[in-house]
Amino acid sequence: MKTKLTELLGIKYPVIQGGMAWVSEANLASAVSNAGGAGIIAAGGRDTEWVREEIRKAKEMTDKPFGVNVMLMAPNKDEIVEVVCEEKVAFVTLGAGNPVPYIEKFHEHGIKVIPVVPNLKLAKRVAEKGADAIVIEGMEAGGHIGSQTTLALMTNIIPYIDIPVVVAGGIADGRGIAAALLMGAAGVQMGSRFLLTTESTLHPKAKERILQATDTDSVATGVSRGHGVRCLRNTFTEEYTKLEASGAPQEQLDKLATGTNRMAAVDGDIERGAILVGQSLNVLNEIKSAQEIIEDLMAQTKETLQKACEIGK
Ligand SMILES: Cc1cc2nc3c(=O)[nH]c(=O)nc-3n(C[C@H](O)[C@H](O)[C@H](O)COP(=O)(O)O)c2cc1C
């Protein structure tokens, strides 16, 4: 399959595995890249030595392009950027902060830059400043979310941007990929689908909870404070939502939420931890290898696109 994204990154299929803090490391990223997509190591919450080691491990495990996700609100962001430049990965995705000051530096090291942007104004700004592509991520996504849906973002942004647009949020099967391509996307970024891979390090208890979850089981916490995070309903989200509604100060909410991603993903505490996952839950019903998932996704994408061509005749 050939799109502006496959050409930009030199990959076979227009599918990026989104950076997922505490879950996506060398094992998952290299498996996705070996299967023809582009894997990403998530640097969020990690120290520089961990990032360096995972990049080196991934290089041992694949000769295909892979990337690193850098959260620009992290206190050690500048050190992480240094390590990523020294280790020279194929591309970075940049979220949660202003990517503009970093674009030139990554380019000097031959690294492609793909910022995650929440609206058209910022999409235009990063495109003007030399970004190679952008990710737009709808509020259906697992993890930190903005205020627009994936469909609204595609409608609002794709026609006005010349660089490749990668669409994320709620895309969990080949029909979603086909829909994004039909809307003019150059590719998709998927997170939740890759949580349920044999290669993902997500704790087995969290994987099991996601397998059992259905469409109405996700909730976005913190939306009223402008810090939306989508995860599965559990004891943690109930407590957080109650506290949020009570008008509790932000520090109290932050205290309750601190460390909860790790608690669910690494320690397997599926009641007091935050199980980050998107809204498209009904199709997340089996654990497979990254390669099998990508093969299934691509077969369904092609079938859906062919059907669309027939309808359009
Ligand atoms: C468990 C989990 C952790 C995530 N962590 C990050 C992160 O560290 N940085 C980031 O930019 N996005 C993060 N995301 C968002 C993903 O990269 C991706 O854009 C999102 O999962 C796409 O929506 P989907 O979950 O519906 O596929 C995370 C998502 C999940 C599910």
Side-chain angles (χ1 to χ4, degrees):
M1 201 174 279
K2 202 168 151 187
T3 71
K4 278 195 205 169
L5 182 70
T6 61
E7 286 178 347
L8 176 73
L9 297 182
I11 53 178
K12 197 168 168 196
Y13 302 123
V15 176
I16 295 179
Q17 161 255 306
M20 292 183 283
W22 301 108
V23 177
S24 68
E25 32 64 284
N27 206 36
L28 178 60
S30 62
V32 171
S33 293
N34 282 331
I40 292 184
I41 294 167
R46 305 291 191 165
D47 63 33
T48 47
E49 279 324 295
W50 183 91
V51 175
R52 193 188 298 282
E53 218 172 279
E54 290 303 308
I55 295 173
R56 290 186 178 174
K57 268 194 228 165
K59 282 183 185 163
E60 295 281 310
M61 296 165 93
T62 185
D63 56 2
K64 303 279 190 307
F66 65 89
V68 172
N69 169 251
V70 185
M71 298 291 272
L72 296 174
M73 64 182 176
N76 62 348
K77 59 181 183 300
D78 291 325
E79 290 94 313
I80 302 256
V81 168
E82 271 317 312
V83 167
V84 172
C85 288
E86 281 165 25
E87 297 296 324
K88 289 198 200 322
V89 296
F91 69 100
V92 287
T93 57
L94 304 174
N98 179 11
V100 171
Y102 298 95
I103 295 176
E104 205 179 308
K105 182 172 174 81
F106 282 121
H107 280 169
E108 279 166 10
H109 289 82
I111 297 168
K112 305 228 162 55
V113 181
I114 311 182
V116 183
V117 294
N119 57 43
L120 180 60
K121 192 175 168 197
L122 285 173
K124 282 185 171 166
R125 180 161 160 72
V126 298
E128 251 170 45
K129 297 287 176 188
D132 298 280
I134 52 167
V135 173
I136 53 176
E137 185 187 53
M139 54 169 288
E140 298 92 321
H144 291 267
I145 55 170
S147 58
Q148 296 186 56
T149 63
T150 300
L151 182 60
L153 283 169
M154 290 195 286
T155 307
N156 286 330
I157 295 180
I158 294 175
Y160 306 105
I161 293 294
D162 290 331
I163 58 174
V165 179
V166 180
V167 174
I171 298 174
D173 64 11
R175 294 171 306 152
I177 299 174
L181 295 175
L182 287 172
M183 288 292 289
V188 299
Q189 171 166 290
M190 299 166 77
S192 298
R193 178 63 273 193
F194 290 108
L195 290 174
L196 298 189
T197 49
T198 47
E199 294 91 348
S200 119
T201 56
L202 182 68
H203 195 283
K205 282 188 186 167
K207 284 185 180 172
E208 190 51 41
R209 183 59 75 86
I210 295 171
L211 281 170
Q212 284 164 13
T214 56
D215 47 4
T216 54
D217 288 336
S218 103
V219 63
T221 59
V223 174
S224 70
R225 309 290 174 100
H227 306 291
V229 175
R230 183 170 301 287
C231 43
L232 284 187
R233 276 176 219 287
N234 62 5
T235 308
F236 162 70
T237 63
E238 259 169 47
E239 253 182 63
Y240 192 102
T241 313
K242 258 191 220 151
L243 207 57
E244 187 184 345
S246 76
Q250 189 58 40
E251 303 81 67
Q252 206 181 335
L253 288 164
D254 291 345
K255 197 168 162 215
L256 179 65
T258 300
T260 50
N261 295 357
R262 185 182 179 160
M263 273 160 71
V266 180
D267 308 333
D269 186 343
I270 54 173
E271 282 308 325
R272 306 211 56 84
I275 309 169
L276 306 187
V277 68
Q279 259 183 327
S280 294
L281 288 161
N282 286 351
V283 296
L284 302 186
N285 47 27
E286 50 188 342
I287 296 172
K288 288 183 166 184
S289 70
Q291 166 130 17
E292 285 172 306
I293 284 178
I294 289 195
E295 279 168 10
D296 290 354
L297 288 172
M298 284 305 112
Q300 200 187 18
T301 303
K302 284 180 189 161
E303 192 190 316
T304 311
L305 289 174
Q306 270 156 11
K307 274 190 201 154
C309 283
E310 281 159 30
I311 295 168
K313 272 183 193 160

